[in-house]
Amino acid sequence: MGFLDNSGDIILDAVLTDAGRARLARGDCSFNIKKFALGDDEIDYGLYNKAHPSGSQYYDLEILQTPVLEAFTNNTSAMNSKLITMPSPNEYFLPVIRLHNEGAYAMNSDTNSFVVVVNEETADFCIGANTTGVQPLALPFGILNGFDPATAVRGDGIRADQGIDNNDRPPTTPGGLPGYLTETAYFLQMDNRLGSPRLANGASGGTYSYLDDDQIASYFLSMPPAAAQAAELNPALYVANIENTTATGPIAGVRGTRVWFTIKAGPELADSDSLFQRIGTQVASGEADITAQRTLQTYWYIDSTVRLTGVNTGYRIDIPIRYVRKY
Amino acid sequence: MPTSTFKALNPDDIASTRTMLHEAIPVTGTIVSGTYSDNNIKTFAHGMFQSVYDYPYLSSSANHIFDITAGFSTRASSLSASSTVQTSKKVNIYNQMAQILVGFDETGSVRRFDQDGNLSNGTKIDDAFFINFTRLLTKDEIKKGSFQMTVYTGSTIDNPGFPLTIQDANVDKYLTNSPAGEYTLLHTSSTGGDNTSDIPVGLLYYQAGIAVLTASVFSRGFQAPETNGTTRRRGNYFGTVSGAVGASSLSSMSVSGAFSGSTIDTIAGGFRNRLKNIQFNNTTELNSTIYFCRVNHNEFNYSSNATYLSESIIRVKNTAADIPVSYVTRVGLYSEANELVATACLSEPLRKDSNNEFTIRVRLDY
């Protein structure tokens, strides 16, 4: 995409996204615009210079000179960061979402991603048992059982906490995180060809809200009202309240909610290596590690991401996922 | 006011409009006869028409711009009686064009092209050239009153002179008795010669994008102003172009002789050789929906941009009492299920804080 001409009047470059065109083509009235959002994907707020010697008029000089790209037609590539409406103009701290990346919930340190093994043979390979048909006893940290996540060896899953990541607002701060800043629901987006989210206990948590033309599935993960005070480690919930949790976690300050899920690999990955051949990478025996315990074997992998976005604040994180299949 | 990244659009925020967009389309005659040594002219084994491209057609950059063909009716007054070459194909072309553009009479017979548009009686156009413009050029329709075609009517075959301009000058008069939409009569730029009563020389179908030109435009004596001082010419000059691309030859021939004794390809080649230029404006009917994205002073003042926070502290504030500031570069339009169906980008960032509010007008054209 080129940059828009910003030498004169402000112009607006509007396009239908591929998903919009697909809906329009269906002819079933599913193309129905109901709401809008504003985005600032190009903006680097780090350029806001509160110490500019010429005064406050110049604080955002560099930001206002930011060139803007033409509109993307890929619906998942645009509007990555949205502007937020909040009831108070006096917010100073805003919550973020942080991934658990320590201990049992840490990413695989060899790949800096969560590794999803797509079949049992691959799991054996990751454990180092190298014995096909033998149920693995335990998967190393950061490796998820993508072929049967409901078993006891499903892995520990992926966790992300929401809250204010600043010691100036410690978890014991009276009042905690205001309700309007607490995420009670999240959007989870991932490539539907590769996998789908599961509750941490491996059970299905429901189907996607919609599937776009690029096979990106969007799931709506919400906290049931009755579970607002549910135990933080309830593997039967996608979203749990952790406002009273003071245990060390990725959020230094007051907490809101926690998302906990695991991933089941798609059947196309589990049953054949055709998708790996098309969009994956083959690693020859001995070239790279997956785990310290691995038996050196040739394997395929596909790198992808799972995007987690708070419905209230729009804050999002991209979680790296590597789907692995033994050659 | 709840925290939100979306704002619902009310019925009052959505408006539908229709806009007519016009583009000028100039086609110079050298494109159709010379610039590309006829490598931009596509002929077909069936020999029923020639296609003209704006570039050698084997190139992926080439665009198909119009087709040329010719035909006649089977009436005794036409040249069909004397025709010896591709007679049935010329008749088929005429009938095909006539049934689409003129339609059928009460008996189910195909009507013939009428010189003045009065289908019930009057002079008919029985021998005609057809210039079919592609949708790429005409878009939704040719703009009324903008069409102009200049053809050479001079006697010299290889370098014909005496340009005659044919146009739809009478913007206000167009006819609606065609099954193919509105059409008008084509006249020469001025009366004179045998054409003292300004006899129409063809028909222009606006929506179909087809010009029908009587063959006799090359046989009547029209007044054809020229720079050499000659203001009038009479004759029956046409000429044909035949042979392979790059090795074609010109033959001196009257237009009636060409229709009777030449193939459609050869006639089309002769017409190209006589074409000086064509110009018209096309029309695109843009149906638009405008979404008025109204941003109030107390809305969208914060951002979820990863750079907006540093250790969860808003970067653009020194204290909690400072006003929040954000910058808009994009507008997203969403379905009920939060699926992004349209997006728009501002050419430069727009500052948003609690001291200002604005309406961004996003127009989607269909």
Side-chain angles (χ1 to χ4, degrees):
Chain A
M1 298 294 162
F3 287 121
L4 293 171
D5 181 354
N6 58 4
S7 60
D9 293 339
I10 296 179
I11 58 169
L12 194 66
D13 171 44
V15 291
L16 291 178
T17 63
D18 47 6
R21 290 200 303 268
R23 287 197 174 275
L24 206 56
R26 281 187 212 162
D28 59 0
C29 300
S30 62
F31 182 84
N32 206 350
I33 293 172
K34 290 290 190 184
K35 55 183 102 170
F36 73 93
L38 303 180
D40 60 357
D41 292 11
E42 288 91 347
I43 301 298
D44 176 3
Y45 285 91
L47 298 175
Y48 194 86
N49 183 4
K50 291 182 285 191
H52 197 289
S54 299
S56 57
Q57 288 295 313
Y58 294 84
Y59 287 179
D60 58 3
L61 187 65
E62 286 191 72
I63 288 179
L64 291 173
Q65 290 174 343
T66 304
V68 180
L69 293 165
E70 292 172 307
F72 290 175
T73 55
N74 185 351
N75 62 309
T76 52
S77 304
M79 301 297 292
N80 286 329
S81 66
K82 299 188 183 75
L83 303 191
I84 316 167
T85 298
M86 288 196 189
S88 166
N90 297 323
E91 300 299 336
Y92 187 58
F93 294 97
L94 287 182
V96 295
I97 302 169
R98 294 274 186 259
L99 191 66
H100 273 263
N101 195 16
E102 286 186 357
Y105 303 100
M107 290 191 290
N108 175 266
S109 57
D110 298 321
T111 60
N112 280 327
S113 62
F114 287 97
V115 172
V116 177
V117 292
V118 303
N119 58 21
E120 188 173 346
E121 188 183 12
T122 310
D124 291 341
F125 151 60
C126 289
I127 291 170
N130 197 23
T131 308
T132 302
V134 175
Q135 182 74 10
L137 297 175
L139 286 164
F141 293 162
I143 296 186
L144 308 178
N145 180 342
F147 59 96
D148 190 7
T151 65
V153 289
R154 58 184 171 267
D156 292 299
I158 302 169
R159 282 186 182 183
D161 286 2
Q162 185 242 355
I164 289 175
D165 190 20
N166 192 300
N167 288 317
D168 289 346
R169 294 289 302 278
T172 53
T173 302
L177 192 65
Y180 60 86
L181 291 179
T182 302
E183 298 288 2
T184 56
Y186 295 82
F187 293 118
L188 186 149
Q189 291 176 302
M190 64 188 299
D191 192 322
N192 193 54
R193 296 170 300 174
L194 305 180
S196 55
R198 288 286 186 273
L199 291 163
N201 62 11
S204 171
T207 186
Y208 49 73
S209 302
Y210 62 85
L211 181 68
D212 83 355
D213 59 305
D214 299 315
Q215 294 294 313
I216 303 298
S218 292
Y219 296 83
F220 186 74
L221 316 182
S222 63
M223 183 168 64
Q229 299 299 323
E232 62 181 273
L233 291 178
N234 184 348
L237 292 176
Y238 274 134
V239 184
N241 189 327
I242 57 167
E243 64 178 350
N244 297 320
T245 304
T246 55
T248 303
I251 298 293
V254 291
R255 287 93 189 263
T257 54
R258 168 174 294 160
V259 184
W260 190 15
F261 65 97
T262 187
I263 290 174
K264 179 170 173 55
E268 200 174 347
L269 296 188
D271 299 341
S272 81
D273 60 5
S274 63
L275 203 54
F276 283 97
Q277 291 187 36
R278 273 190 286 146
I279 60 174
T281 304
Q282 190 184 83
V283 177
S285 172
E287 282 188 8
D289 294 348
I290 288 184
T291 73
Q293 299 99 324
R294 89 218 180 283
T295 300
L296 292 178
Q297 294 278 347
T298 301
Y299 65 93
W300 290 100
Y301 72 83
I302 297 172
D303 281 338
S304 183
T305 57
V306 168
R307 174 169 294 178
L308 194 63
T309 308
V311 170
N312 261 357
T313 66
Y315 197 89
R316 70 179 174 90
I317 56 169
D318 289 335
I319 303 167
I321 306 291
R322 174 170 288 193
Y323 297 89
V324 174
R325 179 185 171 89
K326 183 173 172 288
Y327 182 70
Chain B
M1 178 191 294
T3 303
S4 176
T5 54
F6 295 103
K7 184 174 181 181
L9 288 160
N10 298 318
D12 288 347
D13 298 329
I14 303 172
S16 296
T17 63
R18 196 179 73 151
T19 312
M20 293 298 181
L21 190 69
H22 302 293
E23 298 170 304
I25 307 294
V27 180
T28 59
T30 52
I31 285 183
V32 299
S33 59
T35 299
Y36 299 112
S37 304
D38 285 0
N39 285 311
N40 63 323
I41 309 299
K42 190 174 186 178
T43 56
F44 301 87
H46 53 65
M48 294 184 76
F49 62 89
Q50 278 190 352
S51 294
V52 179
Y53 288 72
D54 63 355
Y55 198 68
Y57 63 83
L58 290 176
S59 165
S60 59
S61 306
N63 295 300
H64 180 196
I65 54 177
F66 63 91
D67 299 311
I68 304 170
T69 185
F72 42 55
S73 74
T74 53
R75 296 300 176 104
S77 55
S78 77
L79 294 166
S80 60
S82 57
S83 176
T84 56
V85 179
Q86 284 192 331
T87 305
S88 61
K89 287 191 175 181
K90 291 169 190 167
V91 169
N92 289 349
I93 285 287
Y94 184 94
N95 286 341
Q96 180 196 347
M97 302 304 285
Q99 81 177 45
I100 291 171
L101 300 174
V102 196
F104 301 88
D105 63 14
E106 62 281 0
T107 67
S109 301
V110 177
R111 291 183 191 273
R112 290 181 291 157
F113 290 97
D114 194 278
Q115 192 177 63
D116 64 1
N118 182 352
L119 302 180
S120 58
N121 53 39
T123 307
K124 303 297 178 187
I125 297 174
D126 282 315
D127 310 290
F129 294 100
F130 301 99
I131 299 98
N132 300 19
F133 298 98
T134 61
R135 199 173 62 231
L136 178 72
L137 260 58
T138 62
K139 300 292 174 63
D140 291 329
E141 65 177 273
I142 294 169
K143 184 185 177 189
K144 295 178 181 70
S146 71
F147 184 86
Q148 199 172 78
M149 173 192 289
T150 305
V151 294
Y152 292 111
T153 59
S155 59
T156 309
I157 300 303
D158 57 353
N159 188 20
F162 297 95
L164 178 74
T165 301
I166 298 162
Q167 57 194 9
D168 67 334
N170 196 349
V171 184
D172 298 328
K173 185 182 178 186
Y174 59 88
L175 304 159
T176 57
N177 57 349
S178 162
E182 297 155 351
Y183 70 105
T184 193
L185 312 179
L186 290 172
H187 292 267
T188 55
S189 51
S190 59
T191 57
D194 292 344
N195 195 23
T196 52
S197 57
D198 194 15
I199 300 168
V201 296
L203 307 167
L204 178 67
Y205 292 84
Y206 291 116
Q207 284 88 31
I210 297 174
V212 180
L213 207 59
T214 176
S216 59
V217 73
F218 293 105
S219 63
R220 286 196 200 114
F222 290 99
Q223 184 175 10
E226 275 242 321
T227 54
N228 62 6
T230 306
T231 58
R232 182 177 170 134
R233 207 64 170 173
R234 287 178 183 275
N236 185 358
Y237 308 117
F238 183 60
T240 55
V241 175
S242 59
V245 169
S248 57
S249 60
L250 283 163
S251 304
S252 178
M253 194 177 287
S254 66
V255 70
S256 51
F259 268 65
S260 303
S262 300
T263 63
I264 294 174
D265 267 343
T266 307
I267 298 169
F271 184 83
R272 285 191 290 108
N273 186 52
R274 292 270 165 182
L275 185 60
K276 184 180 181 191
N277 66 35
I278 300 173
Q279 61 188 49
F280 60 86
N281 286 3
N282 67 20
T283 303
T284 305
E285 184 179 317
L286 284 181
N287 289 294
S288 309
T289 305
I290 300 171
Y291 298 89
F292 295 93
C293 302
R294 305 183 203 280
V295 185
N296 295 326
H297 66 94
N298 56 349
E299 295 171 338
F300 298 107
N301 292 326
Y302 295 91
S303 172
S304 62
N305 190 309
T307 66
Y308 193 65
L309 303 176
S310 174
E311 296 180 331
S312 280
I313 295 174
I314 298 171
R315 281 183 194 262
V316 296
K317 284 190 170 197
N318 283 317
T319 66
D322 290 344
I323 60 168
V325 178
S326 63
Y327 297 87
V328 186
T329 62
R330 293 167 185 243
V331 183
L333 301 179
Y334 290 82
S335 69
E336 189 68 58
N338 298 319
E339 190 176 18
L340 181 65
V341 293
T343 178
C345 285
L346 294 160
S347 58
E348 58 188 73
L350 204 57
R351 179 184 166 112
K352 178 71 189 76
D353 59 44
S354 51
N355 292 325
N356 65 6
E357 59 182 41
F358 44 74
T359 299
I360 300 175
R361 187 174 163 274
V362 181
R363 193 181 84 179
L364 295 180
D365 297 330
Y366 302 96

